[in-house]
Amino acid sequence: MKKYLITLIPVVLLGWQRGPVQQNAIVTTETSLAEDIKPTAAQYKAEELSTRILSNYHYRKTKLNDSLSSAIFDKYIDGIDHGRLYYLASDMAEFEKYRYSFDDFLQKRELDVPFNMYNLFRKRYQERSEYIQTLLKTPKPFDYTVDESLNTDREKVAWAKSNEELNDTWRKYLKSEALDLKLAGKADSSVVKTMSDRYKNRDRGLSRIRTEQVFQMFMNAYAESLDPHTSYMAPTSADRFKQEMSQSVEGIGALLREEDNYIKIVEVIPGGPAFKGKQLKKEDKIIGVAQGDDGKFVDLVGWFVDDAVKLIKGAKGTVVRLQILSADALSSTPPKEIRLVREKIKLEDSRAKKEIVSVNNGNKDYKIGVIDVPLFYRDFEGAQQKEKEFSSTTRDVQKIITELQAENVDGIVIDLRNNGGGSLTEAVSLTGLFINRGPVVQVKEGQGEVEVQSDNDPTVAYNGPMAVMVNRFSASASEIFAAAIQDYKRGIIVGEQTYGKGTVQTLIDLNQWVPKETDQLGQVKLTVAKFYRINGSSTQLKGVMPDLEMPTAFKVNEYGEGSQPSALPWDQIASSKYEATNDISEKIVSQLRDKHNHRLKSDEELKTLVKTMDEFKKARENKTVSLLESKRKVERDEAEKKRAALKQLGEESDDEDEDSADAKPKTADAPKEAKKKKDIYITETGRMLADLIVISKEPSLAGTKKK
């Protein structure tokens, strides 16, 4: 079978995703905004070759036609002006004549129209920039006593019909930003200076955009219309990608991108300071950076990711402080400040670890072993060289299981929350620790060929009661493991519907297809296969549905694969032959669900959790913020109350523990004062497992289900 990337291993502090303008961590020279950007001869070659590969070898085999052209057109416009804050309705009317021509452009090596569309954006951007600086130079640019509001959801608003309409929209955005700074304690003069610096930085960033980034944006409009995980990387981005994949970087351990004027966290790297401290999460926004414990904050709103990275990265052992807007924060939520100590990031530093929790059921205490698996890691080079102690998720978990059994635990929980995937080999072998032998996952290629990945080792490391914890950000290899455990009826799956990333990618270097080509053409990351459960159901789109659902702050399909319009569909193939255990049955799950639902209504902590999550989901639907100072202050105070409620529930914590990346050093003879944050989700999963132990002792149907 071909060598596949089943998940894109996070690249430390590299940004290349969508924003008002895409920036790909490329150092460039500045150009005038009035100067047009033009394609190069190499890009015409890359366009032709990429189009041929994407048309013929993508799993979907989607033909270039008017329907696909329309999708590419929309995605390209969205990539340039996502917030609909620059183009005018008249511009869109002019562009509309090209809606069904993008397929022809790709097939005929045409780049002039896409580049002209981007060059018009540069002109519109310059117009807005001039308005912003003019407004900020007025004696009193904002009147905070006027009762008006701003709708921050721009996804479906109509394009502005005039410059005056756009100016008013920008005035409100600027006023909202200024009001945030004012309520944070900044003087009016300082607010105006901060705002002016923000947008001057943005201007400098846009002036560094060059032809490579525009071409990459256009090609990605095509690639990402096929599916969210297919993409084109221009030569400089491809080189940076390979460099970051092979080296460790000193920093906070996060993959960043810019989006809608903010620096956003795409992934938190397992093993890094941000991961260890558990203070940052996917989709959080970084709005400020300060060096050391006493440094002054530098405002990052409006910055390009390339420039932000330079401030966030730093030498090992140094302190960086960040101002963060949480992903699940309300529109009026003020930022929070966190402190991190930079470390050298190495993916292999993220290893499985254990803890034991005690839960009470029927006046009896049960010891539950919890194994946290943040990533499916494997040292392939060490394995090939047959090193005795090469890094392996399965080896580490097997060792932990032995230790937990020696401590006489009553059951084991495998915690896969926020585990974005990793090695397919490890997902298969880890499943093998809990089953006799048999298929684990099916992989179907675009041509229809199906390969079954199986565990062939009859040894079982643990055959006792088990549960697997998942959430919305459990993806790829995590879904393969959880699905197999569920299909074999080996344990209960607890948490949220998983991400739904059931596709397989491979990297293609375009220059390998034209070895005599002297120009560097870039790389294509191409979806070539899909994963299927052993029961024949795809993990794509739907992911894994838990047997027992936990309270969540997210709506259905929020942040998951289902939130991507171009996601490949769910489907089914034939089931593999496998033997399911009788450890779990529909009757048992029903009984567990009844007990869980009873606790949700009777346990005070769980009742508060459900109420808080429901309030957050409802509040986040409101995208309108007040621009009247007195009202805005009330909104912020309410948001702070909700944050305090989450802290009480353990969703956020400022407590330091000995493993935290920002914990202060302790002397050798100082007593340990680490405070372990209580995790309500682990506690409740432990209760479910205790319920399972009790129920399993009751008379039940014997025998083994066969398929």
Side-chain angles (χ1 to χ4, degrees):
M1 189 176 174
K2 302 178 184 68
K3 182 180 179 182
Y4 293 129
L5 267 81
I6 72 164
T7 184
L8 182 59
I9 297 174
V11 183
V12 179
L13 293 172
L14 170 67
W16 57 22
Q17 300 294 330
R18 182 186 68 190
V21 185
Q22 292 193 353
Q23 171 74 5
N24 305 284
I26 300 171
V27 178
T28 68
T29 56
E30 293 191 14
T31 58
S32 166
L33 288 176
E35 181 183 340
D36 281 351
I37 296 177
K38 298 178 181 179
T40 65
Q43 287 163 359
Y44 286 103
K45 299 172 189 175
E47 179 187 27
E48 179 183 26
L49 194 51
S50 298
T51 299
R52 194 192 320 164
I53 291 171
L54 292 171
S55 297
N56 295 320
Y57 298 101
H58 187 273
Y59 181 87
R60 223 172 194 169
K61 299 292 187 297
T62 306
K63 291 184 178 180
L64 272 168
N65 54 27
D66 285 353
S67 177
L68 184 56
S69 175
S70 180
I72 298 169
F73 174 87
D74 287 335
K75 191 167 284 290
Y76 186 54
I77 294 293
D78 188 62
I80 297 173
D81 189 3
H82 176 62
R84 302 191 174 198
L85 290 167
Y86 297 97
Y87 284 134
L88 295 167
S90 57
D91 299 330
M92 298 310 300
E94 179 66 20
F95 293 159
E96 193 65 28
K97 65 186 178 185
Y98 301 119
R99 175 175 290 278
Y100 301 109
S101 300
F102 272 51
D103 54 332
D104 302 319
F105 296 159
L106 289 162
Q107 290 170 325
K108 297 178 181 179
R109 291 176 51 160
E110 163 65 51
L111 288 173
D112 289 346
V113 170
F115 271 71
N116 289 340
M117 291 169 68
Y118 181 78
N119 285 324
L120 180 58
F121 162 77
R122 286 165 67 88
K123 178 183 176 183
R124 296 297 183 223
Y125 182 97
Q126 190 170 22
E127 292 170 355
R128 299 282 71 71
S129 177
E130 291 171 357
Y131 166 75
I132 290 167
Q133 293 303 329
T134 300
L135 177 65
L136 292 175
K137 287 177 183 176
T138 57
K140 283 190 67 176
F142 309 114
D143 185 351
Y144 303 115
T145 64
V146 176
D147 191 359
E148 56 184 348
S149 61
L150 171 69
N151 184 353
T152 61
D153 186 2
R154 300 280 302 172
E155 189 173 346
K156 296 180 180 179
V157 299
W159 296 94
K161 292 183 175 59
S162 65
N163 281 319
E164 290 72 26
E165 184 181 342
L166 261 186
N167 286 346
D168 191 59
T169 298
W170 270 100
R171 179 190 63 79
K172 289 183 177 180
Y173 264 99
L174 294 166
K175 182 179 175 181
S176 180
E177 290 181 25
L179 195 49
D180 280 335
L181 294 170
K182 183 177 175 64
L183 290 175
K186 282 185 177 288
D188 287 348
S189 59
S190 178
V191 167
V192 171
K193 184 179 186 307
T194 299
M195 297 283 290
S196 180
D197 289 345
R198 276 183 182 180
Y199 287 93
K200 286 178 181 177
N201 281 329
R202 195 70 179 168
D203 292 348
R204 284 192 288 270
L206 186 72
S207 69
R208 293 200 306 272
I209 291 290
R210 64 180 182 183
T211 180
E212 187 170 277
Q213 288 134 308
V214 179
F215 176 68
Q216 180 172 276
M217 196 188 313
F218 170 60
M219 292 309 299
N220 271 329
Y222 173 27
E224 293 171 10
S225 293
L226 300 178
D227 88 290
H229 307 288
T230 291
S231 63
Y232 168 79
M233 285 182 279
T236 309
S237 292
D239 288 344
R240 183 65 174 265
F241 174 74
K242 286 185 284 188
Q243 175 189 348
E244 299 284 3
M245 286 284 281
S246 61
Q247 297 180 0
S248 60
V249 178
E250 291 175 351
I252 64 170
L255 172 65
L256 307 179
R257 75 173 175 220
E258 61 184 70
E259 184 176 300
D260 299 336
N261 247 15
Y262 290 103
I263 301 299
K264 184 175 283 190
I265 294 175
V266 180
E267 295 288 350
V268 175
I269 311 300
F275 177 84
K276 293 177 181 178
K278 296 185 177 180
Q279 297 165 292
L280 294 176
K281 57 184 178 295
K282 190 172 181 176
E283 302 292 331
D284 283 354
K285 298 171 184 174
I286 303 175
I287 66 169
V289 178
Q291 307 302 324
D293 286 314
D294 304 314
K296 184 179 178 181
F297 271 100
V298 176
D299 186 275
L300 284 190
V301 177
W303 280 47
F304 280 76
V305 70
D306 192 28
D307 299 317
V309 165
K310 293 174 184 176
L311 290 183
I312 297 171
K313 285 169 62 176
K316 178 181 178 181
T318 58
V319 171
V320 62
R321 290 165 22 248
L322 306 175
Q323 287 179 328
I324 303 296
L325 285 177
S326 297
D328 54 4
L330 306 182
S331 299
S332 54
T333 302
K336 62 181 179 181
E337 181 180 326
I338 69 168
R339 175 185 185 273
L340 295 169
V341 177
R342 298 179 178 104
E343 293 182 11
K344 199 154 193 169
I345 312 302
K346 291 183 179 179
L347 295 180
E348 60 265 27
D349 286 345
S350 174
R351 306 288 283 263
K353 55 184 178 292
K354 67 172 181 177
E355 68 171 300
I356 295 177
V357 297
S358 179
V359 297
N360 184 271
N361 185 297
N363 296 322
K364 179 181 177 181
D365 289 331
Y366 290 84
K367 291 173 68 176
I368 305 298
V370 180
I371 304 176
D372 181 15
V373 182
L375 182 75
F376 285 85
Y377 50 87
R378 181 179 181 84
D379 179 1
F380 286 97
E381 185 176 340
Q384 287 177 345
Q385 296 177 0
K386 298 185 178 179
E387 293 179 5
K388 190 175 181 180
E389 296 297 331
F390 69 86
S391 173
S392 160
T393 305
T394 305
R395 291 161 65 99
D396 289 349
V397 171
Q398 188 167 17
K399 180 182 177 182
I400 291 173
I401 287 172
T402 301
E403 294 170 354
L404 290 174
Q405 288 176 320
E407 297 182 65
N408 298 314
V409 296
D410 297 295
I412 288 179
V413 174
I414 305 295
D415 187 353
L416 299 182
R417 290 175 297 173
N418 303 311
N419 183 320
S423 167
L424 174 60
T425 300
E426 291 296 329
V428 173
S429 60
L430 186 66
T431 304
L433 297 182
F434 305 98
I435 64 172
N436 287 316
R437 65 169 71 191
V440 175
V441 64
Q442 303 184 85
V443 184
K444 180 185 176 185
E445 297 185 13
Q447 295 82 4
E449 178 186 349
V450 176
E451 179 180 353
V452 179
Q453 298 272 328
S454 300
D455 164 54
N456 297 315
D457 185 351
T459 306
V460 177
Y462 177 73
N463 61 5
M466 71 176 291
V468 179
M469 295 182 70
V470 294
N471 66 5
R472 190 62 49 83
F473 301 113
S474 303
S476 197
S478 294
E479 296 174 295
I480 290 169
F481 175 82
I485 294 300
Q486 190 175 55
D487 290 342
Y488 275 103
K489 302 188 183 300
R490 180 59 193 84
I492 53 173
I493 311 301
V494 178
E496 302 173 70
Q497 179 182 1
T498 60
Y499 194 89
K501 202 274 185 182
T503 55
V504 186
Q505 283 73 45
T506 190
L507 277 175
I508 298 174
D509 189 329
L510 297 183
N511 284 84
Q512 291 180 351
W513 285 56
V514 281
K516 294 183 180 180
E517 177 60 53
T518 56
D519 291 323
Q520 290 299 307
L521 304 180
Q523 292 184 340
V524 169
K525 180 162 68 77
L526 185 69
T527 295
V528 292
K530 286 176 72 173
F531 288 124
Y532 293 83
R533 301 167 66 139
I534 55 176
N535 68 7
S537 174
S538 176
T539 56
Q540 170 61 17
L541 199 64
K542 290 186 178 181
V544 178
M545 291 298 300
D547 300 307
L548 299 156
E549 294 190 55
M550 290 284 205
T552 175
F554 303 118
K555 296 181 292 183
V556 175
N557 284 335
E558 190 174 9
Y559 298 129
E561 187 85 355
S563 67
Q564 304 291 334
S566 63
L568 295 185
W570 173 90
D571 62 344
Q572 282 183 298
I573 60 174
S575 173
S576 298
K577 292 183 179 179
Y578 65 97
E579 293 187 354
T581 72
N582 62 353
D583 294 346
I584 306 296
S585 66
E586 290 183 10
K587 182 179 179 181
I588 289 175
V589 171
S590 178
Q591 290 179 273
L592 294 175
R593 189 177 295 114
D594 288 343
K595 292 179 179 294
H596 170 56
N597 288 337
H598 175 72
R599 284 192 294 271
L600 288 176
K601 297 175 182 177
S602 60
D603 182 89
E604 290 303 320
E605 282 188 327
L606 287 174
K607 284 167 61 178
T608 303
L609 177 64
V610 171
K611 180 182 177 183
T612 303
M613 292 298 183
D614 287 345
E615 287 178 351
F616 252 85
K617 277 189 283 192
K618 183 177 180 180
R620 285 168 64 209
E621 291 176 1
N622 180 20
K623 304 296 183 182
T624 301
V625 295
S626 176
L627 300 180
L628 176 63
E629 184 175 357
S630 57
K631 284 187 179 180
R632 183 68 158 262
K633 189 175 186 307
V634 171
E635 290 175 353
R636 285 170 64 99
D637 291 343
E638 288 297 316
E640 278 291 89
K641 288 179 183 178
K642 288 181 169 61
R643 175 183 289 177
L646 278 181
K647 279 188 179 182
Q648 280 190 322
L649 291 168
E651 285 298 296
E652 297 180 4
S653 177
D654 293 327
D655 294 338
E656 295 172 353
D657 62 49
E658 58 184 338
D659 295 321
S660 174
D662 63 343
K664 294 181 175 64
K666 301 178 178 66
T667 58
D669 29 326
K672 289 185 178 180
E673 298 178 355
K675 295 181 180 179
K676 182 64 182 177
K677 182 175 70 174
K678 182 176 181 180
D679 189 325
I680 298 175
Y681 291 92
I682 285 180
T683 300
E684 178 59 14
T685 302
R687 292 171 182 154
M688 293 175 181
L689 203 49
D691 287 337
L692 176 62
I693 294 168
V694 172
I695 292 171
S696 298
K697 292 178 180 178
E698 298 173 356
S700 59
L701 295 175
T704 302
K705 293 186 178 182
K706 294 186 178 181
K707 288 209 173 185

